[in-house]
Amino acid sequence: MRIPARQHRGSDDPADRDWVQRFIAGNLPALPVPGIPDIYLHRAGPQSGLRRLAQRDPEFGSPYWAHYWSGGLVLARYLLDRPESVAGRQVLDLGAGSGIVGIAAAKAGATKVCATDIDPYAILATELNARLNNVMIEAMPADLTKGEPPDVDLICVGDLFYEAALAESVIAFLDRCLAHGVAILIGDPWRTYLPKSRLRLLAEYAVSDFGEDAARTQSAGVFAFE
Ligand SMILES: C[S@@+](CC[C@H](N)C(=O)[O-])C[C@H]1O[C@@H](n2cnc3c(N)ncnc32)[C@H](O)[C@@H]1O
């Protein structure tokens, strides 16, 4: 699978990568995902001490990768409920975070799964979570949104419409991919910058969002971008 516009940030030092992955494995317990008991993710809790990671790296950002988000959660459920949507296809999980969507795609029968994220910690978490779930994912730190369409059949986008500027560049990128014949699925809890007029609703689920009480649910949809 050819992914253009590969970019790196952060250390490529293998010892550092190993240290971070040992930290995640040792301090973020592997827990099943609500509604998807087949997928386990390393998830941050009160005892995880993520501050220790932040203290050793001035570039440490918001640890979005330490949780699943409701957009990714519903998209993962959709792929597992309807494996025909992904089986036999080459898939990109754009903005992978923990890797939840890519893991579901691999479990549902995708021939190859690639995951990208601008946060190098998300890439390390995705690699670790892929191993935890016994699936293969090629994960790389990259911002593909400024570049050409990647050589894949399907792009899965879990919860990427939470900021105006990000949404604008993701939509422009998805438009280029669509023109190139790439199919696009989006999972999102109706966030502010979701391009609703471009979407066809495929499924809707009641789920709890990251940071919310598990008993408090909201609607999140899976959409085709057209
Ligand atoms: C809200 S989280 C969603 C993570 C995951 N898809 C999920 O649904 O659980 C958004 C993720 O997108 C990543 N991200 C933000 N801008 C990006 C970009 N331009 N390219 C790739 N990833 C990006 C963030 O680092 C973060 O991991």
Side-chain angles (χ1 to χ4, degrees):
M1 189 183 312
R2 186 183 57 83
I3 300 290
R6 182 171 177 170
Q7 293 170 8
H8 289 278
R9 178 171 81 75
S11 169
D12 277 341
D13 176 359
D16 196 51
R17 289 168 46 90
D18 289 351
W19 189 93
V20 173
Q21 286 191 327
R22 277 200 305 277
F23 181 94
I24 296 171
N27 294 283
L28 280 68
L31 300 169
V33 173
I36 318 182
D38 286 354
I39 296 184
Y40 278 68
L41 295 176
H42 287 285
R43 281 156 55 191
Q47 311 301 324
S48 296
L50 286 179
R51 194 177 310 155
R52 282 163 56 206
L53 283 181
Q55 280 165 348
R56 62 193 291 282
D57 180 359
E59 289 194 64
F60 189 81
S62 300
Y64 289 170
W65 49 268
H67 306 270
Y68 60 82
W69 291 72
S70 55
L73 175 64
V74 294
L75 187 47
R77 269 180 70 171
Y78 180 85
L79 299 181
L80 290 166
D81 287 350
R82 295 174 181 74
E84 66 277 8
S85 61
V86 71
R89 301 173 102 178
Q90 297 200 37
V91 177
L92 167 66
D93 177 5
L94 182 74
S98 64
I100 181 172
V101 174
I103 291 167
K107 279 185 173 283
T111 48
K112 187 158 186 185
V113 179
C114 180
T116 60
D117 200 291
I118 51 168
D119 184 343
Y121 291 89
I123 299 310
L124 297 178
T126 294
E127 288 174 356
L128 208 54
N129 285 324
R131 284 204 291 277
L132 183 66
N133 290 278
N134 295 314
V135 296
M136 293 279 295
I137 295 185
E138 187 185 328
M140 61 188 75
D143 180 358
L144 302 187
T145 63
K146 307 287 188 295
E148 294 304 309
D151 186 16
V152 297
D153 306 308
L154 173 68
I155 297 178
C156 290
V157 185
D159 227 314
L160 265 186
F161 296 99
Y162 53 93
E163 278 174 4
L166 174 60
E168 195 181 324
S169 62
V170 170
I171 292 164
F173 171 68
L174 295 182
D175 264 329
R176 293 196 296 280
C177 294
L178 205 57
H180 212 250
V182 181
I184 294 153
L185 290 174
I186 293 172
D188 197 279
W190 306 97
R191 295 206 196 277
T192 309
Y193 304 105
L194 185 68
K196 300 177 191 66
S197 64
R198 302 291 310 278
L199 304 180
R200 180 165 54 89
L201 180 65
L202 301 172
E204 210 166 359
Y205 301 85
V207 289
S208 61
D209 201 3
F210 154 64
E212 293 288 341
D213 184 338
R216 230 178 92 188
T217 60
Q218 62 175 16
S219 161
V222 174
F223 311 87
F225 180 87
E226 297 177 338

